[in-house]
Amino acid sequence: MRLTTKGRYAVTAMLDLALHSHQGPTSLADISKRQEISLSYLEQLFAKLRKHELVSSVRGPGGGYKLSRESESIFIAEIIDAVNETIDATNCHGAGNCHKGDVCLTHHLWSDLSEQIHQFLSGISLADLVERNDIKAVADRQDAQERAQHEQVLAVIN
Amino acid sequence: MRLTTKGRYAVTAMLDLALHSHQGPTSLADISKRQEISLSYLEQLFAKLRKHELVSSVRGPGGGYKLSRESESIFIAEIIDAVNETIDATNCHGAGNCHKGDVCLTHHLWSDLSEQIHQFLSGISLADLVERNDIKAVADRQDAQERAQHEQVLAVIN
DNA sequence: TATATATCCGACTATTTTACTCAGATATTA
DNA sequence: TAATATCTGAGTAAAATAGTCGGATATATA
Ligand code: FES
Ligand code: FES
């Protein structure tokens, strides 16, 4: 089991997509700016998300990515799994053979833990997150910041 | 959040201690043999477990380690925490400041997940594990293997 | 049709962490 | 005093993380 920046970035980016899904495809450059994630790194992550058919892409100007399903049926567990951060907490990856080919002393504990985490994360969809008030607040703040920044850029140009 | 061999080893070793607690202090050499964990690595892990007052040591021949509390009041979460494998799944370690000093889009999700995992792992004591039938079975098998090996060594000597 | 915008793709890299090993000091029992 | 253990610190190979970089390809628009 591991959950690092990679998995967190993937979920953050997917949530950003869900939040801006009404305005056509979202470019990685936009997500990069809003969420402060390196563009090149996002490209790597989205290659994996695309392979797992969680997003689809539109190339060229005005293009970007969009969710390949409705946000109601994309679950957090899938996203984390897609970028290779397994939710499995066992050493044997479920095989039950990590102590001389046999089940080790703590296998059942890790197995139960994995089940617990999996149930939790596969019970939460992107739509669920979009609807949460605490997350709505953060999204609103980020959008306001983005608009303010945009206006400043325009002011500098003129 | 990460759970790797380090944390699994720590829990396995502590459970081994709990299982053999009736027969005085247990040496790391014994745990090393039974659980197939490098002795030097165990020494490192037990230095941390000792600092966190989960075990106490007896030096010299016949010495070893014993649990510093009854197994009923040592919880899995404490053990994992003691060897520096934090259960916290947030990037900000709870501070809520990983996006320009502010709360990021997914903070609340990781916060909830951490709570979930923590509740699960801090609700399980070493005594709980010792009592589980699936774990008893593994422990019995390991003890039988150990006795068989011991007899073989004696046979070779004679 | 040129240009700008975007995704795509592969290779490379610095840093960190993991999972160890090794050498030796120290304490205790017999 | 010899054997058995815990203690301590330093070092290290391999893997994973979190990126960077250079360039190819597709497409909308002027
Ligand atoms: S974790 Fe599955 S057998 Fe050890
Ligand atoms: S994870 Fe806590 S603010 Fe981002």
Side-chain angles (χ1 to χ4, degrees):
Chain A
M1 162 81 208
R2 50 175 190 273
L3 179 57
T4 63
T5 303
K6 200 200 295 185
R8 280 189 294 259
Y9 276 177
V11 174
T12 300
M14 288 292 282
L15 180 53
D16 187 283
L17 262 194
L19 285 163
H20 300 87
S21 57
H22 51 94
Q23 56 203 40
T26 308
S27 74
L28 294 188
D30 284 356
I31 298 179
S32 172
K33 269 179 229 150
R34 273 195 295 263
Q35 307 305 334
E36 299 206 292
I37 306 174
S38 136
L39 176 58
S40 305
Y41 200 36
L42 275 176
E43 285 174 351
Q44 277 185 45
L45 296 179
F46 273 76
K48 293 183 175 183
L49 294 172
R50 200 168 57 95
K51 267 178 205 128
H52 283 78
E53 299 187 321
L54 293 173
V55 297
S56 58
S57 63
V58 181
R59 298 177 75 159
Y65 287 91
K66 51 187 180 179
L67 301 179
S68 59
R69 286 178 256 151
E70 333 89 87
S71 58
E72 281 79 9
S73 57
I74 296 182
F75 298 93
I76 309 304
E78 297 178 86
I79 301 172
I80 294 176
D81 193 55
V83 294
N84 299 347
E85 294 216 307
T86 175
I87 275 163
D88 189 4
T90 63
N91 183 40
C92 61
H93 303 290
N97 60 356
C98 83
H99 183 260
K100 304 179 189 175
D102 241 321
V103 113
C104 74
L105 204 52
T106 45
H107 172 85
H108 301 94
L109 172 65
W110 311 127
S111 186
D112 287 357
L113 174 62
S114 306
E115 179 61 23
Q116 192 80 194
I117 297 172
H118 190 265
Q119 282 213 353
F120 181 74
L121 290 179
S122 67
I124 300 176
S125 70
L126 285 177
D128 291 335
L129 293 183
V130 168
E131 281 310 307
R132 279 179 63 157
N133 282 326
D134 46 17
I135 288 175
K136 266 184 185 163
V138 177
D140 286 350
R141 201 192 61 225
Q142 290 184 353
D143 284 345
Q145 277 175 2
E146 205 188 359
R147 276 193 301 275
Q149 213 168 35
H150 190 233
E151 273 172 39
Q152 238 187 355
V153 170
L154 288 181
V156 168
I157 290 173
N158 302 326
Chain B
M1 161 79 206
R2 50 175 191 274
L3 179 58
T4 63
T5 304
K6 201 202 291 187
R8 279 190 294 257
Y9 276 177
V11 174
T12 301
M14 288 290 282
L15 181 53
D16 188 283
L17 264 193
L19 285 163
H20 300 89
S21 57
H22 55 275
Q23 55 204 39
T26 307
S27 75
L28 294 188
D30 284 356
I31 298 178
S32 172
K33 271 178 229 150
R34 273 196 294 264
Q35 307 305 333
E36 299 207 292
I37 307 173
S38 135
L39 176 58
S40 305
Y41 199 36
L42 275 176
E43 286 173 351
Q44 278 184 45
L45 297 179
F46 272 77
K48 293 183 176 183
L49 294 172
R50 200 167 58 94
K51 268 178 203 127
H52 284 77
E53 299 187 321
L54 293 173
V55 296
S56 58
S57 63
V58 180
R59 298 178 75 159
Y65 288 91
K66 50 188 180 179
L67 301 179
S68 60
R69 286 176 256 150
E70 332 88 86
S71 59
E72 281 79 11
S73 57
I74 296 182
F75 299 93
I76 309 305
E78 296 179 87
I79 301 172
I80 293 175
D81 192 57
V83 294
N84 299 349
E85 294 217 307
T86 175
I87 275 162
D88 188 4
T90 63
N91 183 38
C92 61
H93 304 290
N97 61 354
C98 83
H99 183 260
K100 303 179 189 174
D102 240 322
V103 116
C104 74
L105 205 51
T106 46
H107 172 86
H108 300 94
L109 172 65
W110 311 126
S111 187
D112 287 358
L113 173 62
S114 306
E115 179 61 24
Q116 190 81 194
I117 297 173
H118 191 265
Q119 281 212 354
F120 181 73
L121 290 179
S122 66
I124 300 176
S125 70
L126 285 177
D128 291 335
L129 293 184
V130 169
E131 282 309 307
R132 278 178 64 157
N133 283 325
D134 45 17
I135 288 176
K136 266 184 185 163
V138 177
D140 286 349
R141 201 192 63 225
Q142 289 184 353
D143 285 344
Q145 276 174 2
E146 204 189 358
R147 275 194 301 276
Q149 213 168 36
H150 190 233
E151 272 171 39
Q152 235 185 359
V153 169
L154 287 181
V156 168
I157 289 172
N158 301 328

